[in-house]
């Protein structure tokens, strides 16, 4: 008889931190202690608290162990599972004032990170074994598919999705039900459902985590979509860099076929639907639906003009519906709980919840899912734990390379599609990169633009050439060679690229430049007129100096200088016994070695 369950995170983040070795250590130790029949090991998907991984949770008491190592496992088994004593040194340290120091068995849902979240798309991640179809069925899995096939007409399914207000979670927020409704009436000998799991934004891992932690919900949702629009085949387009997600998705597809939940005559309804996986090479442009479909067909991933839209002529020239992973992950719950339930969350025009990959200068990096309309302040401080090291919040980049930045003065902005668009940003797929006072916004714009230059497919001149010219101007500015005329040209060119590019990649590529110029123009001007980087980031504009009054003459800085540019002077500061050092700025390569090795804070950069 099972008396306890040990849940071990099997997402990519924790796997890279050694969760497989932890699972093996548990298995070996349970065998050694004779507990195999009493304790069940469960490999789950991502819990969301990626900064604290590897994560282990013991039920039924719900003890949350963080940053566990294989060497800790014998102690957990001996003390907790055998003797019933919690290993306090490994328990997650909750900082909430509402939780007393002695209350170590804090439920995961009661932590600051979780208690204001509302997990819909992530509802099963970290809860079930994603490689066991029976566990998915045990949490109402495939009930929604059974409901639509036995109780609903295709048009009824589409109407429910329309009424829910669900919008596409992959970029522009197009209404999902309307997209399905555009495709359904089109007659063809074959229709397709496509799931975009390409997820090319730097720092984004929402879709990957859903595929790793709850692959069956995507299979179920795509089958529901297929029934609604009259499609019998589906493709999941996932990047090859996601090996765990690919393996679990393929296993889930095989299991669904074995259970009769994919294939011919599902639920005896006469409805046929099957799925296939297509691996992408990691091209950012393939996040655009027509480029993605070109890639599935075996062609170079390039966008094509619209109309005709994919709902009329898409994959292999047939009517096609394409949604991303997070969009599909909401569908089964909407069918089971109703449109009104989903529409009760969020804002007037942006219903439901949104998953964000929270990263950057934030205490609790990881995945969060919050109702639409949650403020940026709530996400950063109440969920994310605030900015580390006492630094000030400066801005947050939303939407990745296609998005823009939200400055500190707009931290109380309610995040939904329309509010972000109004301030020159966009939701995108859900990357949320937090930046503190030490971040240079010109450098950030350059970072994202450099990415889009590399990822441009090269089909259209505005994107292929225009983004390179923008990047050259930014390089000129951060190297101290820019002029005020360059800033004017940046603004002029960004509008041309935005208005004339063939697809969403080129049309949104200037967004980071546009947003940083709008909110942080003073930093651009400082780079140009003062030849200074206010954040102390841009190397060509930095000068390293030694404060002779603080320097004790230890010579550590000189010993670590790779170009021998630090030399002893004749000056001995009062109270010190050795002569101080100085830096020759003409030879300094600005490697930061001197600053990082000085223990007396005698070196500064400006």
């Amino acid at each position: 008889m099972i008396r306890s369950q040990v849940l071990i995170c099997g997402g990519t983040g924790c796997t890279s931190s050694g969760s497989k070795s932890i699972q093996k250590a548990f298995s070996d130790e349970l065998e050694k202690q004779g507990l195999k029949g009493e304790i069940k090991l469960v490999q789950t998907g991502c819990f969301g608290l990626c900064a604290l991984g590897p994560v282990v949770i013991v039920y039924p008491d719900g003890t949350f162990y963080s940053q566990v190592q294989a060497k800790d496992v014998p102690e957990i088994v001996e003390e907790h599972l055998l003797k019933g004593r919690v290993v306090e040194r490994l328990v997650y340290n909750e900082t909430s004032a509402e939780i007393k120091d002695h209350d170590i068995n804090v439920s995961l849902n009661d932590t600051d990170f979780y208690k204001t979240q509302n997990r819909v798309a992530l509802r099963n991640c970290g809860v079930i074994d994603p490689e066991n179809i029976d566990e998915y069925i045990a949490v109402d899995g495939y009930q929604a598919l059974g409901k639509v096939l036995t109780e609903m007409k295709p048009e009824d399914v589409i109407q429910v999705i329309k009424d829910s207000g669900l919008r596409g979670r992959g970029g522009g927020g197009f209404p999902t039900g309307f997209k399905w409704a555009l495709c359904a009436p089109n007659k063809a000998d074959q229709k397709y459902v496509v799931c975009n799991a390409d997820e090319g934004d730097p720092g984004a891992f929402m879709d990957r985590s859903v595929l790793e932690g709850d692959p069956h919900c995507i299979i179920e949702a795509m089958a529901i979509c297929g029934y609604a629009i009259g499609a019998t085949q589906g493709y999941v387009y996932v990047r090859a860099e996601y090996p765990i997600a690919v393996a679990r998705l393929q296993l889930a597809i095989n299991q669904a076929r074995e259970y009769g939940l994919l294939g011919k005559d599902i639920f005896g309804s006469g409805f046929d639907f099957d799925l296939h996986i297509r691996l992408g090479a990691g091209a950012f442009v393939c996040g655009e639906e027509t480029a993605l479909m070109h890639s599935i067909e075996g062609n170079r991933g390039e966008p094509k003009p619209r109309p005709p839209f994919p709902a009329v002529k898409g994959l292999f020239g047939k009517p096609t519906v394409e949604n991303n992973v997070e969009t599909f992950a909401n569908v089964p719950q909407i069918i089971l709980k109703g449109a009104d339930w989903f529409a009760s969350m969020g804002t007037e025009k942006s219903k439901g919840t949104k998953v964000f990959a929270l990263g950057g200068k934030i205490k609790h990096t990881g995945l969060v899912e919050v109702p639409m309309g949650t403020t940026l302040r709530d996400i950063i401080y109440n969920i994310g734990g605030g900015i580390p090291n006492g630094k000030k919040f400066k801005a947050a980049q939303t939407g990745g390379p296609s998005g823009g930045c939200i400055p500190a003065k707009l931290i109380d902005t309610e995040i939904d599609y329309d509010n972000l668009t109004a301030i020159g940003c966009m939701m995108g797929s859900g990357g949320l990169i937090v930046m503190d006072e030490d971040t240079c916004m010109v450098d950030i714009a350059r970072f994202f633009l450099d990415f889009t230059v590399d990822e441009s497919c090269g089909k259209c001149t505005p994107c292929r050439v225009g983004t390179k010219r923008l990047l050259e101007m930014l390089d000129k500015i951060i190297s101290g060679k820019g002029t005020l005329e360059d800033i004017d040209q940046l603004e002029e060119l960004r509008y041309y690229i935005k208005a004339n590019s063939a697809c969403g990649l080129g049309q949104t590529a200037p967004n980071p430049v546009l947003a940083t110029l709008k909110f942080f123009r003073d930093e651009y001007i400082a780079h140009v007129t003062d030849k200074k980087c206010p954040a102390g980031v841009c190397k060509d504009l930095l000068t390293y100096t030694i404060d002779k009054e603080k320097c004790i003459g230890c010579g550590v800085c000189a010993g670590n200088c790779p170009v021998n540019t630090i030399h002893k002077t004749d000056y001995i500061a009062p109270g010190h016994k050795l002569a101080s050092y100085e830096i020759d700025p003409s030879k300094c390569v600005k490697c930061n070695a001197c600053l990082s090795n000085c223990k007396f804070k005698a070196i500064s950069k400006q």
Side-chain angles (χ1 to χ4, degrees):
M1 177 177 169
I2 301 298
R3 62 177 174 83
S4 292
Q5 293 190 63
V6 177
L7 273 60
I8 304 171
C9 177
T12 292
C14 285
T15 298
S16 67
S17 299
S19 66
K20 284 187 177 181
S21 64
I22 293 170
Q23 188 169 358
K24 184 179 185 306
F26 265 109
S27 181
D28 294 344
E29 194 66 22
L30 291 174
E31 181 76 31
K32 177 181 175 181
Q33 297 285 359
L35 297 174
K36 276 279 191 179
E38 299 179 42
I39 310 297
K40 181 180 179 181
L41 290 180
V42 180
Q43 176 188 253
T44 72
C46 179
F47 289 98
L49 278 161
C50 301
L52 299 177
V55 171
V56 174
I57 299 182
V58 180
Y59 287 106
D61 47 296
T63 303
F64 174 20
Y65 292 119
S66 65
Q67 296 179 331
V68 178
Q69 299 180 41
K71 65 182 182 181
D72 299 319
V73 171
E75 184 179 1
I76 295 174
V77 173
E78 174 77 19
E79 293 296 315
H80 191 156
L81 300 178
L82 197 59
K83 299 179 181 178
R85 298 192 293 235
V86 172
V87 183
E88 296 188 20
R89 68 180 182 84
L90 297 172
V91 173
Y92 168 58
N93 182 22
E94 174 61 75
T95 58
S96 173
E98 299 174 12
I99 296 176
K100 306 301 182 185
D101 291 339
H102 65 272
D103 188 6
I104 57 175
N105 285 326
V106 177
S107 167
L108 199 62
N109 291 329
D110 290 333
T111 63
D112 287 341
F113 184 81
Y114 272 97
K115 64 187 177 184
T116 56
Q117 293 191 48
N118 190 348
R119 292 163 76 86
V120 179
L122 300 178
R123 63 192 175 278
N124 292 328
C125 294
V127 176
I128 65 172
D129 180 353
E131 298 183 5
N132 188 338
I133 188 174
D134 293 329
E135 292 208 8
Y136 180 68
I137 291 173
V139 289
D140 299 332
Y142 290 107
Q143 285 196 19
L145 178 59
K147 179 178 179 179
V148 302
L149 294 183
T150 59
E151 301 177 17
M152 301 174 72
K153 297 177 181 178
E155 54 269 28
D156 296 332
V157 177
I158 293 175
Q159 191 60 51
V160 169
I161 301 301
K162 277 185 173 181
D163 292 344
S164 73
L166 176 65
R167 296 172 65 170
R169 298 306 198 239
F174 191 83
T176 304
F178 186 56
K179 180 183 283 191
W180 294 14
L182 289 175
C183 185
N186 298 320
K187 304 298 181 183
D189 58 347
Q190 181 66 61
K191 293 182 180 181
Y192 296 100
V193 177
V194 172
C195 177
N196 178 358
D198 189 56
E199 195 168 49
D201 289 11
F205 52 98
M206 301 78 62
D207 293 350
R208 183 195 74 199
S209 294
V210 173
L211 290 179
E212 290 176 352
D214 195 14
H216 283 284
C217 81
I218 304 305
I219 296 171
E220 181 177 17
M222 292 181 70
I224 291 170
C225 179
Y227 174 73
I229 68 169
T232 59
Q233 288 192 42
Y235 288 91
V236 181
Y237 186 84
V238 56
R239 54 182 45 219
E241 294 99 320
Y242 288 177
I244 296 176
V246 172
R248 289 181 183 165
L249 180 61
Q250 186 61 64
L251 177 62
I253 290 173
N254 295 340
Q255 291 174 342
R257 286 172 180 158
E258 291 173 8
Y259 275 55
L261 299 169
L262 281 178
K264 300 287 185 180
D265 194 26
I266 302 173
F267 283 103
S269 63
F271 172 62
D272 303 337
F273 189 79
D274 206 355
L275 276 181
H276 307 277
I277 297 175
R278 288 292 182 268
L279 299 183
F284 182 59
V285 71
C286 287
E288 197 276 338
E289 61 181 0
T290 61
L292 181 152
M293 292 174 198
H294 264 178
S295 183
I296 291 177
E297 293 167 356
N299 301 314
R300 178 183 172 89
E302 292 181 334
K304 57 185 179 182
R306 297 173 295 180
F309 292 95
V312 177
K313 188 178 180 180
L315 185 62
F316 301 115
K318 305 296 184 179
T320 305
V321 160
E322 181 265 358
N323 288 119
N324 83 325
V325 170
E326 186 185 342
T327 309
F328 278 125
N330 286 284
V331 169
Q333 290 296 293
I334 292 173
I335 296 298
L336 284 180
K337 296 184 178 180
D340 291 342
W341 164 80
F342 189 80
S344 68
M345 298 178 283
T347 62
E348 181 181 356
K349 295 183 179 180
S350 298
K351 305 297 186 182
T353 61
K354 182 72 188 79
V355 180
F356 291 99
L358 192 59
K361 304 293 183 67
I362 189 80
K363 183 178 179 181
H364 296 150
T365 58
L367 282 184
V368 303
E369 183 173 3
V370 294
M372 290 281 193
T374 301
T375 66
L376 184 60
R377 183 187 298 275
D378 283 340
I379 295 174
I380 292 175
Y381 288 100
N382 295 338
I383 297 175
I387 315 299
N389 304 317
K391 298 289 186 178
K392 295 180 181 178
F393 169 68
K394 186 173 186 177
Q397 178 80 13
T398 63
S402 300
C405 61
I406 305 175
K409 66 180 180 181
L410 297 178
I411 193 172
D412 291 309
T413 298
E414 295 184 351
I415 297 180
D416 65 13
Y417 291 101
D418 301 305
N419 285 340
L420 290 185
T421 301
I423 61 174
C425 299
M426 65 180 293
M427 185 80 70
S429 58
L432 185 60
I433 308 300
V434 179
M435 294 166 277
D436 67 11
E437 59 193 270
D438 293 334
T439 304
C440 172
M441 302 311 295
V442 184
D443 182 62
I444 284 292
R446 191 213 171 278
F447 169 81
F448 284 114
L449 193 62
D450 183 53
F451 177 85
T452 52
V453 167
D454 283 344
E455 294 295 333
S456 173
C457 73
K459 183 177 182 178
C460 71
T461 303
C463 179
R464 182 183 70 248
V465 178
T467 55
K468 287 184 179 179
R469 298 292 87 82
L470 275 181
L471 183 61
E472 289 169 358
M473 292 178 193
L474 287 176
D475 282 336
K476 187 178 176 184
I477 290 172
I478 66 173
S479 67
K481 300 174 183 177
T483 65
L484 293 175
E485 289 73 19
D486 290 322
I487 297 178
D488 294 335
Q489 289 181 7
L490 272 177
E491 293 194 276
E492 181 180 355
L493 183 55
R494 72 184 184 183
Y495 287 117
Y496 175 82
I497 297 171
K498 195 173 183 71
N500 294 282
S501 292
C503 80
L505 186 149
Q507 292 162 10
T508 59
N511 280 356
V513 179
L514 188 152
T516 52
L517 270 173
K518 178 180 179 180
F519 296 118
F520 299 97
R521 178 177 286 268
D522 58 325
E523 289 198 24
Y524 280 85
I525 293 174
H527 281 67
V528 168
T529 59
D530 301 333
K531 307 301 179 186
K532 295 287 185 182
C533 175
V537 172
C538 299
K539 287 178 62 175
D540 289 335
L541 302 180
L542 296 180
T543 301
Y544 285 79
T545 57
I546 297 177
D547 187 334
K548 295 181 179 180
E549 302 302 320
K550 294 181 180 179
C551 179
I552 67 166
C554 64
V556 172
C557 56
N560 284 278
C561 179
V563 292
N564 196 30
T565 190
I566 303 177
H567 305 287
K568 187 182 286 288
T569 69
D570 296 329
Y571 179 76
I572 300 176
H576 295 163
K577 297 179 180 180
L578 300 175
S580 64
Y581 282 76
E582 65 180 1
I583 300 173
D584 182 353
S586 66
K587 297 179 181 179
C588 179
V589 295
K590 297 152 186 173
C591 65
N592 209 55
C594 58
L595 180 62
S596 61
N597 283 284
C598 181
K599 298 179 180 180
F600 303 97
K601 299 183 179 180
I603 303 176
S604 61
K605 62 179 181 179
Q606 296 179 346

